[in-house]
Amino acid sequence: MRRFLENSIALLVVVIVLFLIIPLPKSLLDVLLVVNISLSILILMITMTISDALEFSIFPSLLLITTLFRLGLNVSTTRRILGFGGDAGNVILAFGQMITQGNIILGVIIFLIIVLVQFIVITKGAERVAEVAARFTLDAMPGKQMAIDADLSSGLIDEQGAKLRRAKIQKEADFYGAMDGATKIVKGDAIMSLIITAVNFIGGLILGVTMSGMDFNTAIQTYSIATIGDGLVSQLPALMISTATGMIVTRSVSEGSLNKDVIGQFKNQPRAIMTTGVVLLFLAAIPNTPRLALAVGGGLLLGLGWFVSGRMERERQETAALQAAAEQQEAGETAAPSETDYYKDINNVYSLLSVEPLEMEFGYSLIPMVDESHGGKLISRIVIFRRQYAQDMGFVIPSIRLHDASSLGTNQYVIRIRGEE
């Protein structure tokens, strides 16, 4: 049982391929058509709730499987339509009657509009976006790799973090490369659906008139409803899958789910919302315009923008108050105590009693002898003396503290050892 579950997807793909050959009963076909629609809705919802495209990295492979599943169902429905006088199941009949509503020409026009919207607008746009995303991702790989190496060299990340980031870059390149090819599958699916629809309609008319003995009007009525219903049942999932394809390749700079991003980014623009409301109210004042709809829309947008603006201002004030309080608390903690308070601690008094091992004090006129920026060579001579003494005597002279003393005469100096002259 466990081995069966591990290979269930592979077996499912084999079964889908068999749909192209094995005739399906009408009841099973209805169930599979509902499963197809449900699966496309689920995929669309997933693409709108993820924050990173790699969270749904199986999408290119899933796109191929769903397209194959849809084509298998199209072949099965075509077999039912042409072989059983347009009887392809209750699902197709319901969709066909819903879109035609007794008017075959209207149903054909609406179906063609849906197909053209998917093929020209969504599929074409998703294909272009996927192509550009794949190209830019591949071009940016060397720069990203160099940035990872720089962060690793500077110690900002460890070797494990660098390995994870490199793996993510490689997965992104593989994903967008696969998506570039997968969009061609969506495009081919849209073209194939038009061909299948034409075959169902023309083939149905020929079979109905020549073999079933139907008159021309009856054949058109029977096969057009079944053909349009079949086309709509296949095009709705295809349209949702195409939308999901465009959605996942355009989420490259998202920070959360689509719902969170849309609400957050619109909420950050209250001035634009209020401006739109004012424009709608201005249009409502023009004669011969739908004043009620424009006025209601403008008032709602104006009120919404005002509410969002007030809320943003309150949040800004609260943030500023919290920041000011934090800065004040930090300043109070780091403020230096007064001298009296500092020396109240007896341990701080002992710092006044520190004695240097060796110390030299200079009067004002002798400072240039010590200052190397003015050509003073005393420090370099002390260094030479310390090195020579260490070589000759085996003893290192301790560091010597050099400083000026206002209590000395201008040309006086004092040498102290442990504080004694």
Side-chain angles (χ1 to χ4, degrees):
M1 183 65 182
R2 181 179 179 182
R3 182 171 297 180
F4 175 78
L5 293 175
E6 291 176 352
N7 298 285
S8 58
I9 301 300
L11 294 175
L12 179 62
V13 173
V14 174
V15 172
I16 291 174
V17 174
L18 293 178
F19 287 170
L20 301 172
I21 304 172
I22 301 175
L24 298 178
K26 184 170 62 174
S27 57
L28 179 59
L29 191 59
D30 287 341
V31 173
L32 293 177
L33 290 174
V34 173
V35 170
N36 186 29
I37 296 174
S38 304
L39 183 61
S40 62
I41 296 174
L42 175 62
I43 293 174
L44 180 60
M45 292 297 104
I46 291 176
T47 56
M48 290 193 294
T49 53
I50 61 175
S51 58
D52 188 357
L54 293 181
E55 295 180 20
F56 201 33
S57 58
I58 64 169
F59 185 77
S61 300
L62 192 61
L63 187 63
L64 175 60
I65 295 175
T66 54
T67 303
L68 184 63
F69 181 44
R70 193 161 50 251
L71 292 176
L73 292 180
N74 281 338
V75 173
S76 298
T77 54
T78 299
R79 184 183 289 110
R80 295 286 309 182
I81 291 173
L82 299 180
F84 294 87
D87 185 12
N90 296 326
V91 174
I92 290 178
L93 179 62
F95 274 89
Q97 292 176 348
M98 178 184 65
I99 194 171
T100 57
Q101 296 181 354
N103 191 334
I104 303 299
I105 303 299
L106 176 62
V108 172
I109 293 174
I110 294 176
F111 172 72
L112 289 177
I113 290 174
I114 294 174
V115 173
L116 292 176
V117 165
Q118 179 199 350
F119 182 71
I120 297 177
V121 180
I122 299 178
T123 303
K124 190 69 175 178
E127 179 185 8
R128 180 57 179 166
V129 172
E131 180 182 354
V132 174
R135 185 183 305 169
F136 283 4
T137 302
L138 291 175
D139 292 342
M141 279 188 67
K144 293 180 179 179
Q145 295 284 3
M146 292 175 62
I148 294 174
D149 294 338
D151 290 345
L152 180 61
S153 300
S154 61
L156 295 178
I157 58 175
D158 56 7
E159 186 64 34
Q160 184 66 24
K163 187 181 298 184
L164 293 175
R165 288 175 58 177
R166 290 193 189 100
K168 183 178 180 181
I169 291 174
Q170 185 63 45
K171 288 181 180 179
E172 286 180 351
D174 295 341
F175 175 79
Y176 285 108
M179 285 301 302
D180 185 22
T183 52
K184 306 299 188 296
I185 299 174
V186 178
K187 182 179 179 180
D189 179 38
I191 297 175
M192 193 62 196
S193 64
L194 286 175
I195 297 175
I196 291 176
T197 301
V199 168
N200 288 341
F201 187 71
I202 298 174
L205 288 179
I206 295 174
L207 291 175
V209 174
T210 59
M211 299 183 64
S212 300
M214 298 181 183
D215 60 89
F216 188 73
N217 291 331
T218 304
I220 288 180
Q221 183 72 23
T222 301
Y223 286 100
S224 60
I225 293 177
T227 300
I228 293 173
D230 176 41
L232 187 62
V233 168
S234 63
Q235 282 305 306
L236 281 179
L239 180 62
M240 285 184 280
I241 294 294
S242 300
T243 305
T245 303
M247 194 75 66
I248 200 169
V249 296
T250 54
R251 300 297 308 281
S252 57
V253 295
S254 63
E255 298 179 355
S257 64
L258 181 64
N259 182 66
K260 185 183 297 183
D261 288 344
V262 169
I263 294 177
Q265 295 184 21
F266 270 94
K267 187 176 65 175
N268 293 333
Q269 305 296 331
R271 187 172 300 176
I273 298 175
M274 288 190 290
T275 303
T276 305
V278 171
V279 171
L280 292 181
L281 292 176
F282 175 76
L283 293 175
I286 300 176
N288 300 324
T289 57
R291 295 182 177 180
L292 180 60
L294 291 173
V296 171
L300 290 175
L301 288 177
L302 197 61
L304 178 62
W306 179 81
F307 172 76
V308 172
S309 178
R311 184 174 180 178
M312 287 181 62
E313 184 63 28
R314 289 192 298 271
E315 291 178 354
R316 190 181 299 112
Q317 292 177 357
E318 292 176 358
T319 303
L322 292 175
Q323 185 176 0
E327 291 178 353
Q328 184 176 3
Q329 182 179 2
E330 183 179 357
E333 292 176 353
T334 59
S338 63
E339 185 177 359
T340 303
D341 294 335
Y342 180 76
Y343 288 117
K344 284 181 179 179
D345 187 355
I346 191 172
N347 294 319
N348 294 331
V349 180
Y350 287 104
S351 63
L352 301 175
L353 304 180
S354 61
V355 177
E356 299 292 337
L358 290 175
E359 185 178 9
M360 294 185 67
E361 297 178 354
F362 300 91
Y364 179 76
S365 298
L366 301 181
I367 291 178
M369 295 176 58
V370 184
D371 191 356
E372 292 182 332
S373 62
H374 290 81
K377 298 182 178 180
L378 181 60
I379 296 178
S380 61
R381 293 199 175 193
I382 291 175
V383 172
I384 295 173
F385 173 74
R386 181 182 287 116
R387 184 188 62 186
Q388 187 66 32
Y389 198 83
Q391 292 175 347
D392 295 343
M393 307 297 295
F395 177 76
V396 179
I397 300 297
S399 61
I400 303 174
R401 183 185 179 191
L402 308 176
H403 62 91
D404 61 335
S406 59
S407 60
L408 298 177
T410 56
N411 292 317
Q412 291 181 332
Y413 67 90
V414 171
I415 299 174
R416 301 181 187 273
I417 300 178
R418 297 292 180 182
E420 297 293 333
E421 293 186 11

